[in-house]
Amino acid sequence: MDGISALRVLPEAHAQTIRDLQPAGEALSGRARQVAAFADPTRLALAIALRAGTEVCVCDLSWIVARPVQLVSHHLGKMRAAGVVSSRKEGRLVMCTLTPDGVQLLEALAPGPSAAALGPSVRAQA
């Protein structure tokens, strides 16, 4: 393998164990796309809001993160494409939620309270 350094410190068996633990190329690429989905301040704010609200409509997310609806929709689309957000239509509303991968990744990046820790939502009380 041209250009790859030779082992200098780690024993070869230990280094091979670490190499064997590396995810396959496609799995690594998929996880990198998910990480990139949180690499923007607006997207990170949206993820934090979704964690706290469990399922939130795009219009309310716009108010929560203080960004225009069109911008929020754009960023949510990128997050859906990366597999960290899912959405469903409820009449004219688009309801969004973090996927299990999104929750896991967000907890690693920005630990914080979940919706359960914050109490019931207004929708749940209605």
Side-chain angles (χ1 to χ4, degrees), residues 27-45:
L28 199 55
S29 294
R31 198 58 164 175
R33 280 190 296 277
Q34 290 177 331
V35 170
F38 292 142
D40 175 271
T42 297
R43 291 194 294 268
L44 187 56

Side-chain angles (χ1 to χ4, degrees), residues 1 4 16-17 22 24 29 34 39 46 67-68 74 78 87 100 116 123 126:
M1 291 192 216
I4 296 177
Q16 185 62 49
T17 299
Q22 294 296 304
S29 294
Q34 290 177 331
L46 290 167
R67 311 263 195 320
H74 169 77
K78 289 185 175 286
S87 63
R123 184 173 282 283

Side-chain angles (χ1 to χ4, degrees), residues 12-86:
E12 186 174 346
H14 185 72
Q16 185 62 49
T17 299
I18 295 170
R19 178 184 271 180
D20 293 343
L21 291 172
Q22 294 296 304
E26 186 56 38
L28 199 55
S29 294
R31 198 58 164 175
R33 280 190 296 277
Q34 290 177 331
V35 170
F38 292 142
D40 175 271
T42 297
R43 291 194 294 268
L44 187 56
L46 290 167
I48 290 168
L50 287 170
R51 174 179 56 200
T54 306
E55 186 177 50
V56 184
C57 73
V58 174
C59 53
D60 287 347
L61 284 168
S62 171
W63 186 88
I64 290 166
V65 300
R67 311 263 195 320
V69 173
Q70 296 84 353
L71 181 65
V72 168
S73 292
H74 169 77
H75 283 294
L76 288 169
K78 289 185 175 286
M79 295 169 80
R80 274 192 302 275
V84 296
V85 166
S86 64

Side-chain angles (χ1 to χ4, degrees), residues 63-118:
W63 186 88
I64 290 166
V65 300
R67 311 263 195 320
V69 173
Q70 296 84 353
L71 181 65
V72 168
S73 292
H74 169 77
H75 283 294
L76 288 169
K78 289 185 175 286
M79 295 169 80
R80 274 192 302 275
V84 296
V85 166
S86 64
S87 63
R88 67 178 182 83
K89 285 208 169 214
E90 187 175 296
R92 293 177 55 196
L93 300 177
V94 177
M95 305 300 293
C96 298
T97 188
L98 287 173
T99 64
D101 281 348
V103 170
Q104 180 187 37
L105 184 56
L106 182 60
E107 279 306 307
L109 294 172
S114 67
L118 297 174

